[in-house]
Amino acid sequence: MVFNQITPLHRFFFLLVFSVALMIVDHRSPLLVSARAAGSVINRPFQFVINLPAATREWLDAHYRDGTLYRKYKALQAKQAVLEAHLQRYEALQAENRRLSRLLSASPRPGERVLLAEVVEIGLEPFTHRIGLNLGVESGVYSGQAVILPEGVLGQVSGLGFKHSVVTLITDPSHAIPVQIQRNGLRTIVQGLGVSGQVSVPFLSAQADIRKGDLLVTSGLGGGFPAGYKVAQVQEIVTDSTAEFLTVRASPLADIKFAGEVLLLSSNAPPSVPPGSAGRGAR
Amino acid sequence: MKKPGNRWLVIPATLLLSLFLNVVPYPGWVEFARPDWVTLVLFYWCLATPQWIGVGGGWLMGLLLDLMQYTLFGQHALGKALVAASAHPRLRLCPLWQQCAVVLVISSLDTAIVMWVYHLAHGVEIRLQYWQTAVTTALLWPVAYVLMRRLRQRSGIVRG
């Protein structure tokens, strides 16, 4: 009988069909998200071992290296002073902003709510740069939410579970974020390349005013990210007289490799009031 | 000689180690050339001990990779099932350099499957440098083969 013999080839073809079906289901519907969240428990021990060298070095530095702790303390003190100075200006600006928005009779812009989440998995393959967080729908995380580190923007929530979420980093090739150059306000986008520590700034014409060292901050266009957060710094500009666009490489300011915790930013800011409608609102 | 009841534990242990080596972060300059340890270890066990691990085992390894790397369920699974399915016992008779060539082809196909799904599902641009992994994997095959064979003989696992 032909059917008595199940060869590896038969098994492979069965699994081929099954895999394709599984991929389609996983791509099209959220059915398997909870299975993924439950299964991701197996990542914990791996993540622990991966973080072990960095954690050990940090611990040794803090406890045994002479003077390191003192130097760190000094550096932090200096940073604190600078930050406090900035904060004063920020408070003044916030007060002014509140006054102005009251004048415009728009509702005061509520402060952005910040959630602290723990990184539970890091998956850095050449083409996917994603991390898993320990908070999900249960804690009010939503799809598209901005994820930042103190140094700058890290990425955006792209997958949701009940107690689990997945963040696509700005270095992921499927990710793009609207930015502007802080120096002159020129609007553009920053796109991932699939390489950690590098992003590209495409579609800038050869005449565009961009220099090495320029800081790129979120422009707030598209509504995904609140405006004004640092994203990347321009590293390299290649000018090619025959090409229509510049090739610009920038390095992201936030580095996930050694971060254990990230901030989730929820901007429940109301839609900005167009200039013409302010008067009508006051009546 | 180890207890005959436990000797087969070497197989899941090495497979687990290969999974770990596949997901551990690498420095930026080797990122595209990182070898596919899972393919190396899986291919060896499929060749040497088909009675223990075959197409289904390979598929499961791929599924674990999908879970750990946030790819679609089935994306790596399909690739690794292909790796396992192409480990024909007759290949054991071939010289090492011919096996290398086979590993190069299989690993390239595996990468092609994974990249193609990326392209279809997320519109990722396909670039030739992603296939550097297949080259590194094939170059490492002789070393992996010799080391794995020694490990298998030491732990007393009989060839199937």
Side-chain angles (χ1 to χ4, degrees):
Chain A
M1 276 291 281
V2 185
F3 297 106
N4 287 347
Q5 289 279 322
I6 299 176
T7 65
L9 208 62
H10 290 128
R11 272 193 220 123
F12 175 70
F13 277 113
F14 167 73
L15 287 173
L16 174 90
V17 175
F18 186 60
S19 301
V20 171
L22 203 59
M23 282 188 268
I24 293 172
V25 170
D26 198 15
H27 187 52
R28 292 285 162 87
S29 83
L31 265 177
L32 294 173
V33 169
S34 50
R36 199 177 274 278
S40 62
V41 175
I42 63 155
N43 279 352
R44 291 284 178 117
F46 286 104
Q47 202 54 50
F48 176 74
V49 179
I50 289 171
N51 284 339
L52 209 55
T56 317
R57 201 175 54 205
E58 204 169 287
W59 188 83
L60 284 174
D61 268 7
H63 288 262
Y64 288 107
R65 206 171 282 174
D66 251 350
T68 306
L69 208 57
Y70 184 67
R71 256 206 320 278
K72 267 189 188 158
Y73 166 70
K74 276 304 198 194
L76 282 174
Q77 209 176 28
K79 204 171 174 183
Q80 168 81 358
V82 174
L83 285 177
E84 253 168 46
H86 280 305
L87 196 64
Q88 279 177 22
R89 206 179 50 181
Y90 175 68
E91 273 167 5
L93 280 173
Q94 206 180 26
E96 188 187 348
N97 189 18
R98 222 178 287 130
R99 211 167 52 241
L100 286 172
S101 49
R102 218 176 309 140
L103 278 175
L104 280 169
S105 78
S107 56
R109 182 177 278 224
E112 282 147 358
R113 203 162 61 92
V114 170
L115 274 173
L116 192 66
E118 200 185 314
V119 177
V120 288
E121 298 110 321
I122 302 187
L124 292 173
E125 239 193 310
F127 7 93
T128 39
H129 286 205
R130 291 176 204 194
I131 56 171
L133 303 180
N134 68 337
L135 297 183
V137 179
E138 186 197 40
S139 323
V141 179
Y142 54 87
S143 193
Q145 189 164 10
V147 181
I148 63 166
L149 282 179
E151 295 84 31
V153 172
L154 188 67
Q156 206 170 5
V157 174
S158 58
L160 273 176
F162 190 60
K163 286 171 182 284
H164 174 265
S165 54
V166 177
V167 176
T168 301
L169 305 185
I170 55 170
T171 47
D172 190 286
S174 69
H175 195 264
I177 170 174
V179 296
Q180 58 186 10
I181 298 172
Q182 202 184 37
R183 182 169 51 83
N184 57 13
L186 179 68
R187 288 207 172 99
T188 175
I189 58 170
V190 158
Q191 211 168 34
L193 288 167
V195 184
S196 48
Q198 212 180 58
V199 287
S200 112
V201 188
F203 315 129
L204 275 176
S205 71
Q207 291 80 29
D209 177 19
I210 185 165
R211 294 180 207 153
K212 193 180 164 184
D214 270 347
L215 205 59
L216 302 166
V217 299
T218 52
S219 65
L221 282 181
F225 283 92
Y229 284 92
K230 287 185 259 179
V231 179
Q233 194 167 27
V234 176
Q235 279 301 312
E236 188 191 7
I237 301 168
V238 182
T239 351
D240 177 0
S241 53
T242 57
E244 200 175 338
F245 298 115
L246 290 174
T247 310
V248 181
R249 295 274 180 267
S251 58
L253 294 164
D255 184 8
I256 188 57
K257 280 211 175 115
F258 302 107
E261 277 159 345
V262 299
L263 297 170
L264 284 160
L265 217 61
S266 46
S267 58
N268 32 12
S272 57
V273 187
S277 66
R280 256 178 287 140
R283 249 187 276 155
Chain B
M1 184 79 79
K2 283 183 182 174
K3 268 191 295 173
N6 288 338
R7 58 169 69 143
W8 62 272
L9 273 174
V10 172
I11 300 177
T14 46
L15 284 171
L16 211 63
L17 182 70
S18 70
L19 272 179
F20 173 74
L21 289 174
N22 258 36
V23 297
V24 77
Y26 280 42
W29 55 276
V30 278
E31 212 167 66
F32 286 105
R34 53 160 57 211
D36 191 343
W37 303 99
V38 174
T39 293
L40 286 174
V41 175
L42 180 69
F43 196 66
Y44 179 79
W45 288 125
C46 288
L47 272 188
T49 59
Q51 78 275 31
W52 289 114
I53 182 153
V55 182
W59 189 81
L60 270 179
M61 287 296 291
L63 202 67
L64 285 175
L65 272 179
D66 285 330
L67 196 58
M68 295 165 83
Q69 304 195 317
Y70 299 113
T71 43
L72 292 177
F73 280 129
Q75 190 170 353
H76 282 94
L78 182 54
K80 296 303 176 226
L82 178 75
V83 170
S86 34
H88 197 279
R90 207 179 293 164
L91 275 173
R92 293 194 297 217
L93 303 172
C94 297
L96 268 181
W97 68 268
Q98 279 180 10
Q99 292 181 3
C100 271
V102 173
V103 170
L104 179 67
V105 172
I106 293 167
S107 189
S108 304
L109 282 175
D110 181 16
T111 310
I113 291 174
V114 173
M115 282 312 300
W116 192 47
V117 174
Y118 269 126
H119 181 71
L120 289 182
H122 307 292
V124 170
E125 184 194 337
I126 294 182
R127 291 195 223 157
L128 207 58
Q129 63 198 38
Y130 296 144
W131 274 269
Q132 282 178 20
T133 290
V135 177
T136 329
T137 308
L139 286 177
L140 275 177
W141 170 251
V143 185
Y145 182 81
V146 171
L147 287 178
M148 294 287 290
R149 188 176 51 187
R150 187 172 297 173
L151 181 69
R152 178 179 62 77
Q153 286 164 349
R154 279 236 181 137
S155 48
I157 296 172
V158 201
R159 232 162 68 156

